[in-house]
């Protein structure tokens, strides 16, 4: 099993460009998450999907859209990239739905380092 | 003020030392998670706990729900333990929200 995979690993964008970060998991998990990690701050939740076909906003959703294409894949799209979106992005999945702490059992992808100039 | 605060932010130790990393939180939680982030960036789960103590190899995690405090201990530390250690909590009142600490950068020198 590959676990959680993310592509690309690195990306440099110019302000205003768009791109999609891809995430896939092969563990048959229901829940999937997108986080960003910035220096001096903890991981912050951008969007999550409790099951195929559903998505919900997290703590910092502005400037992003997501698609839960199927049970395996959860993509994050930046429509018009801004320098404030320079960050490391992590995708994670969980066998448990959000709630009652069970979603803490999360498996993380290797991350995508995005720089917006 | 962060809802989850870790201390210290940075920690340097000599190989073999006993290490403690602390996590204090200000909200009611249903569970707490310790994660390890390797220098290459990958994040792995170490422990999930909602009470008491858990041990895995040289790692021990404890939690005191009344005091809103958790500790991660590493016995007989080794340079390969060098990583960022992250505490995360699942808030009782928010089914979806997880709150992460900033992390503690641990460096173990040979």
């Amino acid at each position: 099993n590959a676990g959680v995979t993310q592509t690309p690993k690195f990306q440099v964008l110019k302000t205003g460009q768009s791109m999609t970060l891809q995430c896939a998991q092969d563990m048959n998990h229901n829940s999937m998450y997108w986080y960003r990690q910035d220096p001096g701050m903890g991981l912050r939740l951008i969007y999550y999907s409790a099951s195929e076909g559903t998505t919900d906003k997290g703590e910092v959703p502005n400037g992003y859209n997501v698609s839960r294409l199927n049970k395996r894949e959860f993509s994050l799209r930046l429509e018009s990239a801004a320098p404030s979106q320079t960050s490391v992005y992590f995708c994670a999945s969980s066998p448990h739905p959000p709630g009652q702490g069970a979603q803490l059992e999360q498996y993380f992808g290797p991350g995508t380092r995005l720089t917006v100039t | 003020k962060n809802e989850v605060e870790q201390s210290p932010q940075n920690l340097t130790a000599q190989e073999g030392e006993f290490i403690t990393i602390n996590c204090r939180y200000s909200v009611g939680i249903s569970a707490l998670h310790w994660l390890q982030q390797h220098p290459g960036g990958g994040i792995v789960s170490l422990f999930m706990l909602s009470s008491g103590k858990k041990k895995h190899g040289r790692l021990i995690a404890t939690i005191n729900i009344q005091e809103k405090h958790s500790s991660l201990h590493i016995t007989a530390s080794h340079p390969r333990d060098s990583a960022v250690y992250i505490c995360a909590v699942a808030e009782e009142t928010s089914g979806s929200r997880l709150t992460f600490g900033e992390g503690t950068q641990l460096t173990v020198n040979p």
Side-chain angles (χ1 to χ4, degrees):
Chain A
N1 286 353
V4 180
T5 57
Q6 290 182 237
T7 55
K9 286 192 167 48
F10 301 93
Q11 183 72 49
V12 179
L13 291 178
K14 289 190 165 64
T15 297
Q17 287 185 317
S18 62
M19 79 160 294
T20 300
L21 281 63
Q22 307 286 355
C23 174
Q25 51 91 10
D26 61 2
M27 296 175 283
N28 203 36
H29 287 173
N30 288 311
S31 303
M32 296 185 75
Y33 303 81
W34 274 107
Y35 296 95
R36 60 179 289 173
Q37 186 179 41
D38 301 295
M41 305 186 79
L43 287 156
R44 291 181 293 167
L45 182 65
I46 305 171
Y47 271 94
Y48 67 98
S49 170
S51 62
E52 183 181 350
T54 68
T55 61
D56 286 284
K57 294 178 181 178
E59 187 183 351
V60 288
N62 291 347
Y64 305 95
N65 285 302
V66 289
S67 295
R68 184 74 183 268
L69 303 167
N70 47 55
K71 195 170 186 180
R72 287 188 66 247
E73 298 171 290
F74 188 38
S75 62
L76 178 73
R77 182 158 179 85
L78 287 70
E79 290 291 352
S80 179
S84 61
Q85 294 178 304
T86 294
S87 188
V88 181
Y89 291 86
F90 287 95
C91 176
S93 71
S94 172
H96 306 292
Q100 298 181 346
Q103 76 272 28
L104 279 176
E105 185 186 355
Q106 294 194 11
Y107 299 79
F108 286 82
T112 295
R113 189 172 293 274
L114 174 67
T115 302
V116 183
T117 61
Chain B
K1 187 173 172 21
N2 290 339
E3 291 173 342
V4 178
E5 291 199 337
Q6 291 184 232
S7 61
Q9 285 187 313
N10 293 283
L11 180 57
T12 301
Q14 287 301 121
E15 184 172 356
E17 286 184 0
F18 179 84
I19 287 160
T20 296
I21 298 170
N22 296 298
C23 176
R24 292 197 178 274
Y25 50 92
S26 57
V27 295
I29 70 167
S30 52
L32 181 143
H33 201 173
W34 281 102
L35 305 129
Q36 181 190 54
Q37 185 169 23
H38 295 290
I43 299 174
V44 297
S45 171
L46 296 175
F47 295 103
M48 283 190 297
L49 61 166
S50 54
S51 64
K53 175 178 167 178
K54 285 191 176 180
K55 185 176 190 292
H56 182 71
R58 295 181 294 105
L59 301 178
I60 303 165
T62 63
I63 188 168
N64 185 318
I65 295 290
Q66 287 75 28
E67 294 188 5
K68 292 186 165 62
H69 176 260
S70 175
S71 292
L72 176 68
H73 306 286
I74 304 175
T75 61
S77 60
H78 190 276
R80 64 175 175 266
D81 297 325
S82 298
V84 175
Y85 292 84
I86 300 169
C87 170
V89 301
E91 296 185 23
E92 267 178 339
T93 56
S94 170
S96 60
R97 183 170 174 197
L98 302 182
T99 305
F100 292 78
E102 292 180 26
T104 295
Q105 172 69 63
L106 171 66
T107 303
V108 181
N109 294 319

